[in-house]
Amino acid sequence: MPIISLTISGSYWKFLVTINIFMVVITIFTLLDLVTRGVMADIYHRGYKTVNYNQLLNVTCIAHDAKYTCDCGHINQIMLLPRLLGSAYHVDISNCKALTINANALADIQGLRKITFNNVNNLILNQYALAFPIHASNTPLILRFEKVNIEIIDSHAINGLIEEITFIDGHINTINPFAVTILKDHALLLKMDNISINCIESQAFKKFVVEQIDIRYCKFISSVPSKAFYEVEVLDTLNIIGVQFQDIHSRAFSFKMISKLTLIQNNFKSVDAEWLEAFIKEAVSIRGNNFGQTSQIAFKAIMLHHDYVSNEKMELRFSNNTVSFRNQIRPLDFKDTFNLNIKRLYYDNEFSCHDVDVKQQPPQPKSVFFQQHKDQLYFRFNSNPGQSNDFILLSQFIANECRESTYWLYILAPSIG
């Protein structure tokens, strides 16, 4: 850029030249400051939030007796967990209004066994925030989040040699794809207790082996997409108990193997076809659930694992559950490799004598499923117009309402009324 001569006559031109030189000097110093501080590399954008990590206040972490204590002190601003070095058995992080953890913040600590989060709000776990490569340590880790509200668990945020992951009494806004990738031969426990989850992405939990998954009294605020849990192996027990779900899409829960499956007292808005894909090795118990709007083949992808060896069929216990069909009622389909044991299955629909063969004596449901389980199936029945429908046992309904002598009255009654 050519240099403007300062010999130009006139005070006006001298003023303009002075201003230009001043602006150039300011720009140069500003750029130098930006490069020195690395701001351009440290800008982070997540939705509506833009965070300059270089301007965040680091959490003070105090080392004492093989433990790092990182206490935010309830400071009302976004804080950053610094990269910690040295050796420690336990890192405890607590009392944060807003906390961000960047990649490998704790990966260099030697001998680390346990990381706990207590009373933390607006926690952002960026990619590889809690990443622990196999070569860095041979000690598997225990992660515990209690009374923690997590803004996001980013892809591969929890990664590496993990033995236990526990979430208790908190909220998770978003779980991204591949958020949890465990590299240990197999973990011992993945537990969620009283956790609300706003959004879980497809393949959030993918390709790992764990002894037990325990999900209790949680709430999924939005629908669960296909493959939210994908190619996961559960060596012992999968417990889903007292959980509130919205819509569950096909193969939302996809497991390569489960030894024992227990679904108890859960509430669903709807379940799509084959919402649960699982190869069972030892036992299945599904009881006390309300599955909402239910696909006819909702449970068709529950299958027998090839390692099951017995002279008798495995029993599939299906008791005290409620299903509903939007239009025409349908029988539920199960794999015939199981010994299906149905007790007190409630259809939140009315049954019709149109679905009964009244020419048989006694009259029988046309569907084989309804025939086989007519003494355990209950349907809505309006015995007193103007009052809410009660449930009636299917065999009793057929005996009372679908005898051939009353069949034509049953058909003509609506038109006469």
Side-chain angles (χ1 to χ4, degrees):
M1 179 178 178
I3 300 176
I4 301 174
S5 174
L6 297 181
T7 60
I8 299 174
S9 60
S11 59
Y12 176 75
W13 294 107
K14 289 181 180 181
F15 174 77
L16 288 179
V17 170
T18 303
I19 289 296
N20 287 337
I21 293 174
F22 178 76
M23 292 302 297
V24 168
V25 171
I26 290 297
T27 301
I28 291 172
F29 277 100
T30 301
L31 290 173
L32 287 173
D33 181 60
L34 289 173
V35 171
T36 302
R37 292 165 53 193
V39 171
M40 297 304 293
D42 285 336
I43 293 297
Y44 172 83
H45 179 73
R46 176 74 61 191
Y48 60 89
K49 294 182 177 180
T50 301
V51 179
N52 180 347
Y53 290 139
N54 220 53
Q55 294 179 349
L56 296 185
L57 181 66
N58 280 346
V59 181
T60 299
C61 296
I62 300 172
H64 180 70
D65 288 341
K67 179 180 179 181
Y68 269 114
T69 300
C70 305
D71 192 330
C72 298
H74 301 286
I75 295 175
N76 194 24
Q77 68 180 78
I78 302 174
M79 302 188 77
L80 181 69
L81 184 70
R83 190 155 185 162
L84 300 180
L85 303 173
S87 62
Y89 178 85
H90 181 195
V91 174
D92 181 68
I93 301 163
S94 62
N95 303 322
C96 303
K97 295 288 187 179
L99 177 67
T100 295
I101 302 180
N102 285 335
N104 304 306
L106 304 175
D108 295 328
I109 299 177
Q110 299 299 311
L112 186 58
R113 170 66 172 155
K114 186 176 182 181
I115 303 170
T116 55
F117 294 81
N118 293 280
N119 194 26
V120 176
N121 283 320
N122 300 308
L123 175 63
I124 293 177
L125 297 177
N126 285 329
Q127 289 192 14
Y128 300 102
L130 300 175
F132 305 95
I134 292 178
H135 62 78
S137 171
N138 292 320
T139 305
L141 285 159
I142 297 172
L143 303 180
R144 183 180 177 90
F145 302 80
E146 187 167 359
K147 295 181 180 178
V148 175
N149 294 326
I150 301 175
E151 180 70 22
I152 187 168
I153 305 177
D154 208 348
S155 300
H156 306 291
I158 299 176
N159 175 277
L161 271 174
I162 311 293
E163 186 167 83
E164 296 182 13
I165 307 172
T166 302
F167 301 89
I168 299 177
D169 297 335
H171 173 78
I172 304 173
N173 188 56
T174 303
I175 307 177
N176 271 1
F178 319 115
V180 178
T181 48
I182 298 173
L183 303 181
K184 188 177 183 289
D185 289 340
H186 69 271
L188 295 182
L189 176 66
L190 171 60
K191 180 177 180 178
M192 294 183 176
D193 190 339
N194 193 29
I195 298 294
S196 61
I197 300 171
N198 183 54
C199 176
I200 180 170
E201 299 284 356
S202 180
Q203 303 186 61
F205 297 88
K206 182 179 180 180
K207 286 189 177 180
F208 61 85
V209 181
V210 61
E211 288 280 342
Q212 180 176 338
I213 296 180
D214 201 63
I215 303 175
R216 297 173 183 259
Y217 311 113
C218 295
K219 182 177 182 180
F220 287 77
I221 298 171
S222 60
S223 62
V224 181
S226 297
K227 300 180 180 178
F229 285 77
Y230 182 56
E231 293 191 0
V232 176
E233 294 185 52
V234 183
L235 300 181
D236 189 8
T237 306
L238 169 62
N239 294 316
I240 303 179
I241 300 173
V243 178
Q244 296 182 47
F245 291 99
Q246 297 299 312
D247 302 307
I248 309 296
H249 295 294
S250 295
R251 287 179 163 78
F253 295 87
S254 180
F255 295 90
K256 293 176 67 176
M257 190 270 284
I258 300 174
S259 285
K260 293 175 284 235
L261 170 64
T262 303
L263 303 177
I264 301 176
Q265 295 181 347
N266 303 291
N267 190 69
F268 301 78
K269 182 179 178 182
S270 71
V271 287
D272 278 353
E274 301 182 343
W275 69 277
L276 171 61
E277 180 183 39
F279 293 85
I280 309 299
K281 196 172 179 181
E282 293 186 29
V284 187
S285 179
I286 302 173
R287 58 184 173 87
N289 303 281
N290 187 337
F291 290 104
Q293 296 292 327
T294 309
S295 166
Q296 179 178 358
I297 58 171
F299 306 99
K300 195 67 179 288
I302 300 176
M303 294 168 279
L304 206 61
H305 193 271
H306 59 75
D307 285 346
Y308 177 76
V309 179
S310 176
N311 293 327
E312 298 181 355
K313 286 185 176 182
M314 182 188 298
E315 184 179 44
L316 194 161
R317 298 179 181 178
F318 199 85
S319 58
N320 290 291
N321 297 297
T322 302
V323 297
S324 177
F325 288 84
R326 185 171 284 108
N327 298 312
Q328 184 179 358
I329 58 170
R330 301 283 185 182
L332 295 179
D333 287 349
F334 294 86
K335 289 291 186 183
D336 58 11
T337 50
F338 290 100
N339 176 20
L340 181 60
N341 183 357
I342 289 182
K343 292 188 176 181
R344 301 184 70 85
L345 171 57
Y346 293 88
Y347 274 75
D348 197 7
N349 302 91
E350 293 185 356
F351 196 83
S352 170
C353 287
H354 293 293
D355 297 315
V356 175
D357 184 355
V358 296
K359 293 182 179 179
Q360 293 191 49
Q361 291 302 322
Q364 295 292 328
K366 295 176 182 178
S367 162
V368 174
F369 178 83
F370 291 152
Q371 284 181 28
Q372 291 175 341
H373 304 287
K374 62 180 182 293
D375 292 322
Q376 295 295 336
L377 304 182
Y378 291 79
F379 287 83
R380 290 288 186 183
F381 179 65
N382 190 0
S383 56
N384 296 306
Q387 296 184 8
S388 60
N389 292 6
D390 296 323
F391 284 99
I392 187 171
L393 188 64
L394 178 57
S395 58
Q396 182 182 345
F397 173 84
I398 293 172
N400 294 344
E401 305 295 328
C402 303
R403 296 191 305 271
E404 190 170 14
S405 58
T406 60
Y407 179 62
W408 292 107
L409 288 175
Y410 174 85
I411 295 176
L412 294 173
S415 60
I416 294 173

